[in-house]
Each structure stands twice: as C-alpha cells, then as structure tokens.
Amino acid sequence: MNKILLVTFFFIQILFFAQSFERNLSSEKWQFKNAKDEKWLTARIPGTVHLDLMNNNIIPDPFKDENEQKVQWIENENWDYQTIFKISSKELENQNIELVFDGLDTFSDIYLNGKLLQSTDNMFRKWTIPVKQNLKTGDNLLQIKFKSAVNVGKELAQKNPFTMPESPRSFVRKAQYQFGWDWGPRLVTSGIWKDVKLNFWNTVKIEHLKIEQKVLTKQKAELQIRAEIIAENEGNYSFTTDLQNHKIFLRKGLNKISVPFTIENPHFWQPSGWGKAMLYALKFSLKKDGEIIDEKEERIGLKKVELVQEKEEKGKSFYFKVNGNPLYAKGVNWIPGDSFSPRMSKEKYHKLIRDCKEANMNMIRVWGGGIYEDDEFYKACDENGILVWQDFMFAGSFYPSDENFQKNVEIEVKDQIERLQNHPSLALWCGNNEIDEAIVNWGYQKQFKYSKEDSLQVLKDYKTIFHEVIPNAIKKYATADKQIYWESSPSIGWGHKESLTEGDSHYWGVWWGEEPFETYNEKVPRFASEYGFQGMPTLETTKSMFSGKADLSLENPTIKAHEKHSRGWEIIQKYMERDYKVPTDFIKYNYVSQLLQARGMQIAIEAHRRAKPYNMGTLYWQLNDCWPVVSWSSIDYLGNWKALHYQIRRSFENQMILAEEKEGILNFYGINDGLENFEDVQLEFEVNNFKGENFLTAVSNQKQKLCQIVKFDSSSIAQLIGDSDKNKLYLNLILRGKDEKIIAVSNYFFSKPKDLKLTKPNIQIKKISSTEIEVSTDVLAKDVYLIGDAHFSDNFFDLLPKTSRRIKLSKPSKNIEVMSLWDTMNP
C-alpha cells in the first residue's frame, strides 16, 4: 500500500450546520416511467433507464443471449423521473441552497414544484442550480424529463448542411460508445447517472481549489494554492494552511485568491516500477472570526512531467520525462468498464488498476469514446503510480463547431479540468481519438459526396474545437503545470510513413490490415498508443452470455452475437491457421484464441522495447470490456485475466532479455526500464530439447553496463543448433549481473507453435495448501492452462522439462483441470 503523508493543517472538528452542509437526494424514493405512460415504476439513483427497466422486469438483460436487439426501442423513447423530498423550516433558513446534478444523461428538463429550472444537453457536465426561492417547507416535487438523445441528435443533424459520419452521435455530448462499437453493444442510455445533491451554505464557500506546482527539487516543493471563493458579503477572513493564517479580504461574489505553500524535503510521486507513489493529504480551512466556515481536502503528488519532442535524424522524438528521467511508457487503453456506468463499483475500479500495476504497467490512456471516469478511477491511479493519458470525449467522427456547441464543449472541459487536475496521476490532455485520421484517411468525404466547401468546413470545425476551444480552455482553467495538450491520437494515420517517425501511432496493419504478427518487427513507431488483436473471454465469462444453460459452440447465435466486429471470427481464424493448429473442440478453440492474442501482443511489445530509445512507449488496445464479448481486452468483463494479461506482465518486466531473428541470425538485447543501472552484465544461453537434454551452453564474451538497452553479440541459428531439428529445441536465455545475480530470463522457440514437435507432458498438480499448488512436468509443457473457479497467480505459462512452479490461488478451488498446447495438437 502506498504511503499517504499527512501534512497537518489547522483543523478543528466542529459541527458547522449554520455554515454549510450537503444532503444526498439519490437515496430518496425515485420513480420513472415512459413519458407516454401513466404508471410510475421504482427507480434507483444513480442509474440508467435500462437498469430500471431490468429491475422492474420490463426488459431482459441485454448482455445475455441475443437480447441486445430486443431493447433497441428504448433509445427512441422519452423518460420521466421524479421524487418527493421534504425540506424543514430550519433548512430553508440557510442563505443559499443549490440543487446539484453530477451527471444527467443527456437532454433533460428539470422541474422543481412544477417550475422549469434548467434544460440540459451534456452528459459530461455538472449542473448547479440555485433553488432557495423554489423550495417550500414540507414536500417538494423534483422532476427530470429526459428526451431521446437519438431523436434530438437526428434533429440537430438535419440542421447541418451536409451529412456527418456516425450521425447522430457526433451531435450529442454523451458517451459515444453507447451508439455501438466493434467491441460493445448499442445501448443508448438515459437517466440520472450520477448523484443528486442539495448543498446548503451561508456567508462564504470554497468553490474550487487548484494546486499549482511552481518549483520541485529534492530540497523543497514550492506550491501555489489557487482558490475560488464565493462570498455573500464582503469582509475580512482567513485562509488557513499548515498553521499559517493568510488574512484575505473577500468582496461580494466570486473571489480568486492565491497563497504560497512550501513542503521541505519533499517525497516525489514516482510512477510504478520506479518507486512509491507518495501522496500528501492537504486540508484547507476558510475562517471568519476564528470559526471554520468551509473546508476542503485534496490529495496531491509531487512530480514533474514533460512531453519531449525533439527533431533528429530519423524524425522527431515523442516521450515522457518524469521527475527528470525519460520514462518508457508501458500500459494500455481503457474503455468504460460497463455499458451501464453506474454499475461500476469502487471495488471494480481499484481491482482493475491493481491488475495494471501487477502487470508492470505505468500508464493508462482513457480512450475518447467513453466517459470521463469516476473519481475512484483517478484515486486508484494516484495510489498505484499509474500515469493517465486523458482523452477528451470525442472519437472517430466529424463534430460541429457552431456557437452553442463551442460553449457547451468549453464548459465540459472546464468541469473536467476542475475535477481532475489535482490528481498526480494526470499526465496529458488529448483532444480526441482518431478524428484527425478520420478526416484525412477514412474517405468519408467521398462516401457522402462532399463538395469542396463541405470538406473545408469539416477542417474548419475540427480546428475550431481541437486547436482553439479545448486548448484555450485548458490554458484558462488548468494551472501552468497541468497544461500538456496533444490535439489528436494518433497524430498521423498508420498508412503514412511519418506515423512511424514522429508523434504517437495507432498501428492497425495487424488485425485491420490482416498483416502477419511479424510485421510488428518492421513497423515500429515512436510511441505506440494503440494496437491490438482479439481473443475470446474466459470460459466463465463466455458461459455468462447465456440466460440458461450455455451451449458452447462457435455456431451458437448467442456466441456469434457477442462478437461485434463484422469480420472478427474470420480474422481470428485466418491468424490462427498461420500460427496454430486450429482445434474443433470449443474449449480448446477458446484456449488457443487466447494464446494467439497473447502471442501477437508479445511480438509487438518486444519489437517496441528492442527499439528503445527510438520507441519510448507501448500502450496496447485494450484493458477491459463493457460486457461479455470477444474483444481485444486482456481482462474480460467479469474481471478474469485472459492469457494476454499474464503475458503482458512478463512482457512489461522492468528488465528483459530478448532475442530477435533476422534472416537466420539471432540478435540479443538486454532491456532496462528501471532507474538502477547494472554493471558487468553478461548473457548466458542454453539450447535444450523438449526432454530437457542440453545441446549447447555458452556465455557472451563481453561484460557490459546495462543502462537502458544493450546489444550483445549475434549468433546464427545454424551455429546454435547445427543439423538438429529446430522444431524440437528451445533457447533458454539468462541475463546475469555482478555476483552472479540473475537480472532476467526468457525462452525463445525457433518455430511457430503449430510446427513444434511436442511430447505429451505428464503434468502433476500437488496441493501445498488450500490456496497454493505446485505444478510439475517431466518434459516441456507449453502454455500450461490451469482451469478452476479461482484466480491463479500465473497461468498460460511454459513449464520447462523436469521443473515445477508454485501457484497461488485467490480462493480454495476443489477441481483444477490442466491443459497444454500438446492437447490441441493431438486429439
């Protein structure tokens, strides 16, 4: 657990009912109905209309069977929500009462006691409405009338002079993935998706706190505390930090104050793999005549992040420098963890981020077609040392730039900056996902028969939003140390050679282009921010697709419906035939599809890491799923690790020894992503057969210093194996440092999996305790797959001849089955 340092501030625990307090209205008795109906049904807040309909047994679970198609009518309806809450005469005595909606999805009219207070048009905005004059003692009726986002979007689209791709979603400021993606269902939600509150306050309140880091050295951290304070009346107050009272004068209305704050001998927040993610808990008090009127608490981390882009012979660098050191970014793309976001629990957020840290990641890209995630996501990243590349929520389409849209976007950006910028995990703001590429490469202009004027308007709209509105809002609302901005990811499409020499790259030649995995060795970008390959979810998650007994067959309509890519099964089959023997048995097919996915990503990641420092980042697509599905994820919807996630943990180790084959020659690379350098490093290798018999043992001639990357002497495969059958051999690599310390180990196979001449292994499982087992084998057991109702500390691993491995279980499991690659090659 990362340590949280407490900086003591003058803080007295008192009740200050007379000054400010908050009341949560989410727990009131809520009702909802179709606007056309009379009957009210029970609702849960936060929630969505789909969840409420499921809870009332109106619709089946859209995640099961082929039910997604049965619920498409919901998106075309209008939905009403209401509750009655009581207000006491004592509560009404407060000077200010605000009704606060943290999230309304999306187009709605808000009524209080029959009066229209506000109309909303953005799922990502916070809505704060003064309501003191509209409240009364006793019962108060709160109503939110939602309009169909699809229908409103169509109305907005019709006003545009030309057809937009993906219409009408690009006209609607709501989660774009809800309109359907190649890994997610079309479930266009509506409802109160975040908390509803009443804020009561008097005299003065702290509206926002921004903590700017001005100077950071080992000796001190100089901070500037920037506060926005709203006062009912002008007067003298004090703003208290660390036993220091800063006397301030506040005018009636909005005040902006700035006070300095210094931390001596600071502890740095370090990304995962470099040290602890140290956090400081800071409390701030606003006082009048010695009485605390309002207070806020923030958790911060002290770090410095720079995005470095320098021209050089081969193009232009792209990498992050953290606390003065170049960081090799290892991580993943994040999508929403559920099609119904209110179901995402605190526990699920923290588990997924811990899974990232356990897999040796240090960065997550929050993809622009989802949502700005819950505070718990960013807290988990703060605690685990995971840097966040934060997209704004625009993805894969063209967007308008009329005056209303611009204003809406600016306030959306403001709300998110003010909510997120104090998180130490935040590294980068990014304007959008793949919109620049969509304009340049996807042929929409030709498809929709745009005129020259139409095409120019698209470019103008794009530049207005992503080169003006968003970056200007960042400069306006973010502190100077939190203003790193990147207009679009990727900066250049994968079909252009420049995408490999500068900026960040989404390389989809593998999968979309159906190029072989080996193409990753040649197509190495500066920073790989997207690439991936699909694999099936675990058997448990596959079975969860069914409402009844699971029929595990590739021809089953339910399983087919849970592959959202139109050619997904075909592409998986094509790649599987290249590298594996294709099983006919479903369980074995499921297993091999996971191995295939893991193999592809291993090849990509190793190619990226061998190219260091030309390449300085690799973020694969994708970590998680929003429903049970065949997808690019490494962790399936139920939270199970697929073979890919186990492989990611191996491939993202801070120190690695890697082999690369080129025209019969093996090149060897020692990789180090840590801050510690290693002296007198040597490479040892052994050639063994699958029975464990040794053919060759050798040690590199030179001892080298391993800082970031070192290349050892090459060897020809002919020299290593002679006339022996390469399909029966493997290479065991060991990287040793001073005092014979093993720094890294790896295995290299000379052939594709389908060509390996494996012997049937005798795999034994010995119970050590209720939550620990020992797995052993007589001969090579390739890709050992443990099947049980627990999480295994390791899985889908190679077990070398005459060796054993201890595996821990997350809970006791009565029946553990085992499979290896041999079983898929020998019916």
Side-chain angles (χ1 to χ4, degrees), residues 601-620:
M601 295 302 91
Q602 179 184 6
I603 291 171
I605 291 168
E606 291 186 2
H608 297 160
R609 296 190 70 183
R610 290 195 308 265
K612 184 180 180 180
Y614 180 87
N615 171 279
M616 283 297 287
T618 180
L619 311 179
Y620 70 93

Side-chain angles (χ1 to χ4, degrees), residues 343-355:
R343 285 206 295 208
M344 279 293 289
S345 65
K346 174 181 177 180
E347 291 74 22
K348 187 170 182 179
Y349 274 118
H350 284 263
K351 178 191 178 298
L352 283 168
I353 300 304
R354 285 196 304 271
D355 288 343

Side-chain angles (χ1 to χ4, degrees), residues 94-105:
N94 286 275
Q95 291 176 317
N96 297 278
I97 307 175
E98 297 167 337
L99 180 60
V100 180
F101 294 90
D102 287 335
L104 292 172
D105 182 11

